[in-house]
Amino acid sequence: MKLVRYGPRGRERPGLIDGNGVLRDLSAHVADVDASALAPAKLRALRGLDPRTLPAVPGRPRLGVPVTGVGKIVAAGLNYRAHVAAGYPLPDEPILFLKAPSSLCGARDPVRLPPGATRADWEVELALVIGRRASRISPERALAHVAGYCIANDLSERAFQFERGPTWDKGKSCDTFCPLGPWLVTHDEIPDPQALDLKLTLDGKTMQAANTADMLFTCAELVACASRYMTLHVGDILLTGTPPGSGFLQSPPRFLRPGQTMQLAIAGLGEQRSQVRSFRP
């Protein structure tokens, strides 16, 4: 099942994408795609609906962030073997950091460079959306706590990240620096999250192409590790790291400029398309 939130920013409605790619309205069954909608019993009820009985939504409305009420975004750094092979030491356990929920935007919304940005960068990532409260769980139980999966772009302003203090948050949390979606694909449609091709192109040129099998720490291990240090609540998002090909590792380095277009794809999860624009107050 592919869950979406569609409509103008701040006035999104819940929906789903049926097997023919038609957007259907879900507002008669859930108020929004939030923690209550992601609970296991509610997801089972939604999967039992016949999409043909749901109203088709005309036109091509904006698709917003596919889940609302996100409490936190937990992200993993240096989690692909080929990325680490570029010269970083092999971590003993996942490198985790937080990204502000205010960085979220829809998968086709513009990405706006903050004032002073000179080294804005891209990172295609598999995102997990938590569906059950998780605290100190084992890797064997971890994926049972995942409601579904999305495409994420963990954008970074590298100058803010590396040159303005020891933490990464300043460069990771700018507004629009976490496009998510276009939809949330429920866990039953992704039997193995460690077997997904992912790709990012910039103005049509492939910059990143890999498979989630190359992760150092699996999705299950990441959820379990994060849950040892903080309770994961329903609706929280976990970003699983990016493969090689980010701009700051190019030779010479390449960074985002207004007018460029990023396209992201992960097998089974759809595609993103974001145009880079200048800051607008």
Side-chain angles (χ1 to χ4, degrees):
M1 183 168 56
K2 297 179 176 66
L3 297 175
V4 299
R5 298 174 65 249
Y6 68 94
R9 188 186 299 271
R11 292 183 286 145
E12 293 92 344
R13 296 168 62 91
L16 63 77
I17 306 296
D18 70 16
N20 295 317
V22 176
L23 173 59
R24 303 276 180 172
D25 183 74
L26 265 181
S27 56
H29 300 274
V30 291
D32 210 337
V33 183
D34 55 11
S36 62
L38 297 177
K42 190 62 178 180
L43 284 182
R44 284 195 296 270
L46 293 177
R47 282 196 293 269
L49 297 173
D50 182 349
R52 294 172 297 182
T53 66
L54 303 173
V57 178
R60 292 178 58 85
R62 169 186 173 270
L63 296 181
V65 179
V67 60
T68 191
V70 176
K72 58 183 171 291
I73 303 170
V74 184
L78 301 178
N79 195 39
Y80 278 75
R81 292 178 181 86
H83 198 165
V84 172
Y88 293 96
L90 191 70
D92 294 325
E93 68 171 57
I95 297 170
L96 300 179
F97 60 93
L98 295 177
K99 194 172 175 88
S102 55
S103 66
L104 288 165
C105 67
R108 298 168 188 165
D109 290 343
V111 165
R112 295 193 179 275
L113 303 182
T118 59
R119 297 169 62 192
D121 205 348
W122 56 83
E123 295 186 6
V124 60
E125 305 202 9
L126 173 65
L128 284 56
V129 180
I130 299 299
R132 294 181 181 176
R133 181 181 180 274
S135 178
R136 300 180 180 87
I137 59 172
S138 68
E140 292 73 24
R141 296 172 48 220
L143 293 186
H145 293 257
V146 175
Y149 302 88
C150 303
I151 303 171
N153 191 350
D154 177 21
L155 287 140
S156 312
E157 168 43 55
R158 301 299 186 186
F160 297 178
Q161 179 183 358
F162 296 134
E163 299 171 12
R164 299 193 181 184
T167 63
W168 291 1
D169 304 54
K170 293 174 184 175
K172 292 286 188 175
S173 293
C174 305
D175 291 352
T176 74
F177 267 30
C178 193
L180 191 73
W183 35 73
L184 185 159
V185 178
T186 51
H187 65 88
D188 54 297
E189 293 197 15
I190 306 295
D192 185 2
Q194 303 307 143
L196 304 177
D197 289 330
L198 63 170
K199 181 178 180 179
L200 182 147
T201 65
L202 180 65
D203 291 339
K205 181 179 179 180
T206 298
M207 309 306 291
Q208 294 181 282
N211 187 282
T212 55
D214 192 46
M215 286 185 187
L216 278 170
F217 302 99
T218 66
C219 294
E221 290 169 332
L222 292 174
V223 173
C225 179
S227 79
R228 291 201 298 269
Y229 298 103
M230 65 197 84
T231 298
L232 301 176
H233 295 282
V234 179
D236 285 350
I237 295 166
L238 197 155
L239 307 184
T240 58
T242 198
S246 295
F248 83 113
L249 293 175
Q250 302 282 327
S251 183
R254 295 185 61 180
F255 298 110
L256 295 170
R257 296 290 180 264
Q260 294 183 306
T261 299
M262 296 173 288
Q263 289 185 265
L264 290 72
I266 298 181
L269 301 183
E271 296 184 352
Q272 288 190 9
R273 181 182 175 90
S274 300
Q275 187 177 71
V276 181
R277 298 184 184 174
S278 299
F279 174 76
R280 185 180 68 187

